Coordinates of all heavy atoms in Angstrom, one line a residue:
M79 N -9.6 -8.7 17.2 CA -9.5 -10.0 16.7 C -9.8 -10.0 15.2 O -10.8 -9.5 14.8 CB -10.5 -11.0 17.4 CG -10.2 -11.1 18.9 SD -8.6 -11.9 19.2 CE -8.8 -13.5 18.6
L80 N -8.9 -10.6 14.4 CA -9.0 -10.7 13.0 C -9.0 -12.1 12.5 O -8.2 -12.9 13.1 CB -7.9 -9.9 12.2 CG -8.0 -8.4 12.2 CD1 -7.7 -7.8 13.5 CD2 -7.0 -7.9 11.2
Q81 N -9.9 -12.4 11.6 CA -10.0 -13.8 11.1 C -9.2 -14.0 9.9 O -8.8 -13.0 9.2 CB -11.5 -14.1 10.8 CG -12.4 -13.9 12.0 CD -12.0 -14.8 13.2 OE1 -11.7 -16.0 13.1 NE2 -11.8 -14.1 14.4
I82 N -9.0 -15.2 9.5 CA -8.2 -15.6 8.3 C -8.9 -14.9 7.1 O -10.1 -14.9 7.0 CB -8.2 -17.1 8.1 CG1 -7.6 -17.8 9.3 CG2 -7.5 -17.5 6.8 CD1 -6.2 -17.4 9.6
G83 N -8.1 -14.2 6.3 CA -8.6 -13.5 5.1 C -8.9 -12.0 5.4 O -9.1 -11.3 4.4
D84 N -9.0 -11.6 6.6 CA -9.3 -10.2 6.9 C -8.1 -9.4 6.5 O -6.9 -9.8 6.6 CB -9.6 -10.0 8.4 CG -10.9 -10.4 8.9 OD1 -11.8 -10.7 8.0 OD2 -11.2 -10.4 10.1
A85 N -8.4 -8.1 6.2 CA -7.3 -7.2 5.9 C -6.9 -6.6 7.3 O -7.7 -6.1 8.0 CB -7.7 -6.1 5.0
A86 N -5.6 -6.7 7.6 CA -5.0 -6.2 8.8 C -4.5 -4.7 8.6 O -4.6 -3.9 9.5 CB -3.9 -7.0 9.3
V87 N -4.0 -4.5 7.4 CA -3.5 -3.1 7.0 C -3.9 -2.9 5.6 O -3.9 -3.8 4.7 CB -2.0 -3.0 7.3 CG1 -1.2 -4.0 6.4 CG2 -1.5 -1.6 7.1
W88 N -4.2 -1.6 5.3 CA -4.6 -1.2 4.0 C -3.9 0.1 3.6 O -3.9 1.0 4.5 CB -6.1 -1.0 3.9 CG -6.7 -0.5 2.6 CD1 -7.1 -1.3 1.6 CD2 -6.9 0.8 2.3 NE1 -7.6 -0.5 0.6 CE2 -7.5 0.9 1.0 CE3 -6.7 2.0 3.0 CZ2 -7.9 2.0 0.4 CZ3 -7.1 3.2 2.3 CH2 -7.7 3.2 1.0
I89 N -3.3 0.2 2.4 CA -2.6 1.4 2.0 C -3.1 1.7 0.6 O -3.2 0.8 -0.3 CB -1.1 1.2 2.0 CG1 -0.6 0.9 3.5 CG2 -0.4 2.4 1.4 CD1 0.8 0.4 3.6
K90 N -3.3 3.0 0.3 CA -3.6 3.4 -1.0 C -2.8 4.7 -1.3 O -2.7 5.6 -0.5 CB -5.1 3.8 -1.2 CG -5.5 4.1 -2.6 CD -7.0 4.3 -2.7 CE -7.5 4.5 -4.1 NZ -9.0 4.6 -4.2
V91 N -2.1 4.7 -2.5 CA -1.2 5.8 -2.9 C -1.6 6.2 -4.3 O -1.7 5.3 -5.2 CB 0.3 5.4 -2.8 CG1 1.1 6.5 -3.3 CG2 0.7 5.0 -1.4
L92 N -1.8 7.5 -4.5 CA -2.0 8.0 -5.9 C -0.8 8.8 -6.3 O -0.3 9.6 -5.5 CB -3.2 9.0 -5.8 CG -4.6 8.3 -5.9 CD1 -4.9 7.7 -4.6 CD2 -5.6 9.4 -6.2
S93 N -0.4 8.7 -7.5 CA 0.7 9.4 -8.1 C 0.5 9.6 -9.6 O -0.3 8.9 -10.2 CB 2.0 8.6 -7.8 OG 3.1 9.3 -8.4
A94 N 1.2 10.5 -10.2 CA 1.2 10.7 -11.6 C 1.8 9.5 -12.3 O 1.4 9.1 -13.4 CB 1.9 11.9 -12.0
H95 N 2.8 8.8 -11.7 CA 3.5 7.7 -12.3 C 3.6 6.5 -11.4 O 3.7 6.7 -10.2 CB 4.9 8.2 -12.7 CG 4.9 9.4 -13.6 ND1 4.6 9.2 -14.9 CD2 5.1 10.7 -13.4 CE1 4.6 10.4 -15.5 NE2 5.0 11.3 -14.6
R96 N 3.6 5.3 -11.9 CA 3.5 4.1 -11.2 C 4.7 3.9 -10.2 O 4.5 3.4 -9.1 CB 3.3 2.9 -12.1 CG 4.5 2.6 -13.0 CD 4.2 1.4 -13.9 NE 5.3 1.2 -14.8 CZ 5.4 1.7 -16.0 NH1 4.5 2.5 -16.5 NH2 6.5 1.5 -16.7
D97 N 5.9 4.2 -10.7 CA 7.1 3.9 -9.8 C 7.0 4.6 -8.5 O 7.3 4.1 -7.5 CB 8.4 4.2 -10.6 CG 9.6 3.7 -9.8 OD1 9.6 2.5 -9.4 OD2 10.5 4.5 -9.5
E98 N 6.6 5.9 -8.6 CA 6.5 6.7 -7.3 C 5.4 6.1 -6.4 O 5.6 6.0 -5.2 CB 6.1 8.1 -7.6 CG 7.3 8.9 -8.2 CD 8.4 9.2 -7.3 OE1 8.2 9.5 -6.1 OE2 9.6 9.0 -7.7
A99 N 4.3 5.6 -7.0 CA 3.2 5.0 -6.2 C 3.7 3.7 -5.6 O 3.4 3.5 -4.4 CB 2.0 4.8 -7.1
Y100 N 4.4 2.9 -6.3 CA 4.9 1.6 -5.8 C 5.9 1.9 -4.7 O 5.8 1.3 -3.6 CB 5.6 0.8 -6.9 CG 4.7 0.0 -7.7 CD1 4.7 0.2 -9.1 CD2 3.8 -1.0 -7.2 CE1 3.8 -0.5 -10.0 CE2 3.0 -1.7 -8.1 CZ 3.0 -1.4 -9.4 OH 2.2 -2.1 -10.3
Q101 N 6.9 2.8 -4.9 CA 7.9 3.0 -3.9 C 7.3 3.7 -2.7 O 7.7 3.3 -1.5 CB 9.0 4.0 -4.5 CG 9.7 3.3 -5.7 CD 10.4 2.1 -5.3 OE1 11.0 1.9 -4.2 NE2 10.4 1.1 -6.1
A102 N 6.4 4.6 -2.8 CA 5.7 5.2 -1.6 C 5.0 4.2 -0.8 O 5.0 4.2 0.4 CB 4.8 6.3 -2.1
S103 N 4.3 3.3 -1.5 CA 3.5 2.2 -0.8 C 4.4 1.3 0.0 O 4.2 1.0 1.2 CB 2.7 1.4 -1.8 OG 2.0 0.3 -1.2
K104 N 5.5 0.9 -0.6 CA 6.5 0.1 0.1 C 7.1 0.8 1.3 O 7.3 0.2 2.4 CB 7.6 -0.4 -0.9 CG 8.6 -1.3 -0.2 CD 9.7 -1.7 -1.2 CE 10.7 -2.7 -0.6 NZ 11.0 -2.6 0.8
Y105 N 7.4 2.1 1.1 CA 8.0 2.9 2.2 C 7.0 2.9 3.4 O 7.4 2.7 4.5 CB 8.3 4.3 1.7 CG 8.8 5.2 2.8 CD1 10.2 5.1 3.2 CD2 8.0 6.1 3.4 CE1 10.7 6.0 4.2 CE2 8.5 6.9 4.4 CZ 9.8 6.9 4.8 OH 10.3 7.7 5.8
I106 N 5.7 3.2 3.0 CA 4.7 3.3 4.1 C 4.6 2.0 4.9 O 4.7 2.0 6.1 CB 3.3 3.7 3.5 CG1 3.4 5.1 3.0 CG2 2.2 3.5 4.6 CD1 2.2 5.5 2.1
I107 N 4.5 0.8 4.2 CA 4.3 -0.4 5.0 C 5.6 -0.8 5.7 O 5.5 -1.2 6.9 CB 3.9 -1.6 4.1 CG1 3.5 -2.8 4.9 CG2 4.9 -2.0 3.1 CD1 2.3 -2.6 5.9

């Protein structure tokens, strides 16, 4: 059971460059 405002899913991606990190995060979710 999760309440309003709780995080249901959390993703963290590290990359040398921002575009790869953004694209990888989107791919994962």
Side-chain angles (χ1 to χ4, degrees):
M79 296 298 291
L80 282 71
Q81 302 305 309
I82 303 302
D84 284 351
V87 62
W88 176 89
I89 297 168
K90 185 172 185 178
V91 178
L92 281 70
S93 178
H95 302 285
R96 67 182 176 268
D97 190 52
E98 289 290 317
Y100 280 120
Q101 295 302 320
S103 175
K104 182 179 184 327
Y105 179 80
I106 293 167
I107 191 60

